[in-house]
Amino acid sequence: MGGDRVEPFEQLIAKEVHRRHGLATIHATAALELALRALGVGPDDLVITQSNTFIAPINAISYLGAKPIFLDVDKDTLGMSPNALADFLQKECHLQDKALHHTPTGQRIRACLPVHALGLPARMPELVALCNAHQLPVVEDAAEALGSGWIIDDRFHPCGSFGTWSVISFNANKIITTGSGGMLLGDDEKAMASTRHLAKIAKIAHPYRSAFDEVGYNFAMPNLNAAIGLAQHQKLDAIQASKKALAQAYDRIFCDFDGASLIQAPPQAVYNHWILGALFDRPEHAKDFIEKTREKGVLTRPLWQPIHQAIPYQSAPRGDLAHTEWLADRVVQLPSWPVLSG
Ligand SMILES: Cc1ncc(COP(=O)(O)O)c(C=O)c1O
């Protein structure tokens, strides 16, 4: 856990996403678990989230003994829908002693966890405003969204800057990688200090004695990975420029394509083009396109299986997930890693 590369890497990424503090972890799933735990998520609690996501954030909820409630996403951002959230908060939740509860079950709702899917920014300003009005902290899963964000009043607000806590991943397929790695980001110095302690096996600081004051985690990023992260960060601009050029090339192809278009971020959103996706009008054409392109060695694939359909989560509570299922049948993930020159 020692070494001098971790802190500079934490500072660099925290600055990148306009945060005061960063805690580098062995992967982003660990950072998500730490964020939820810092908010007091525990057995029998509920966490509002989305089903259109990679499974990691949902598993992080489960590791703590809590349950996800799946809400629908917007068709254009692929992220949690503010309308679905507003509706759910109004119809199915109530505040009791300043804490949000799920009216049908009486369970405590501890957090809201929206995900920036494929790197497309979810509507965070609206989501955070709704959560603030209901005393609900936000864990922003920006695992895929380094470099994405929203332009508000001419200012760039990066993904990762919105939630009470936010998380970025540096696993091998992300915009920049540390081999495996993640980062927890936040502004609260005290909460970050106690979370850092927990992530470093809760060892009481001492030059040579080995003593512990909590059941901690071995979640801190090794120095070697942070060194890779620092080197990778130097390439971030070039990687983003090449991904943008790839998106433009795909766009030229899909312009002339009947029945499908390249997924674009909404106006005012900045998209890091982490994974480029095509949206097909008809599910059978999306399926056919995947089969035909794969026959030719082009590694297309569908969007993730919606997590409410995954075996461990089939009985999890949910709202109407019409958009989630609509997208799952129509979005095709395109090969998105451009060859960098030099
Ligand atoms: C949306 C999302 N959240 C969380 C994770 C977990 O990241 P990691 O693999 O670093 O644990 C990933 C990715 O891999 C992801 O895509």
Side-chain angles (χ1 to χ4, degrees), residues 73-120:
V73 293
D74 281 337
K75 279 185 181 172
D76 59 347
T77 67
L78 277 58
M80 189 182 288
S81 151
N83 286 342
L85 179 63
D87 203 48
F88 178 77
L89 290 169
Q90 196 208 336
K91 293 190 181 142
E92 293 206 38
C93 303
H94 65 275
L95 275 168
Q96 190 182 314
D97 301 330
K98 291 194 174 170
L100 195 70
H101 287 76
H102 185 224
T103 308
T105 61
Q107 284 171 283
R108 178 91 185 257
I109 301 178
R110 288 271 182 186
C112 178
L113 196 167
V115 179
H116 301 292
L118 307 186
L120 284 160

Side-chain angles (χ1 to χ4, degrees), residues 118 173 175 239 242-244 246-247 250 262 271-277 299 301 332-339:
L118 307 186
N173 72 8
I175 283 277
I239 290 170
S242 62
K243 276 190 169 277
K244 193 170 172 189
L246 183 65
Y250 272 129
L262 191 71
Y271 173 28
N272 66 1
H273 304 107
W274 175 59
I275 297 272
L276 296 156
L299 300 181
R301 57 182 180 185
V332 174
Q333 296 190 50
L334 302 166
S336 301
W337 201 251
V339 178

Side-chain angles (χ1 to χ4, degrees), residues 63 69 72 77 99 109 176 205 220 224 228 249:
Y63 298 155
I69 298 188
D72 213 0
T77 67
I109 301 178
I176 61 169
L224 183 63
I228 295 169

Side-chain angles (χ1 to χ4, degrees), residues 169-190:
S169 171
F170 306 107
N171 83 14
N173 72 8
K174 292 301 183 292
I175 283 277
I176 61 169
T177 184
T178 57
S180 172
M183 198 170 292
L184 175 67
L185 296 133
D187 297 321
D188 183 331
E189 190 173 350
K190 218 168 134 212

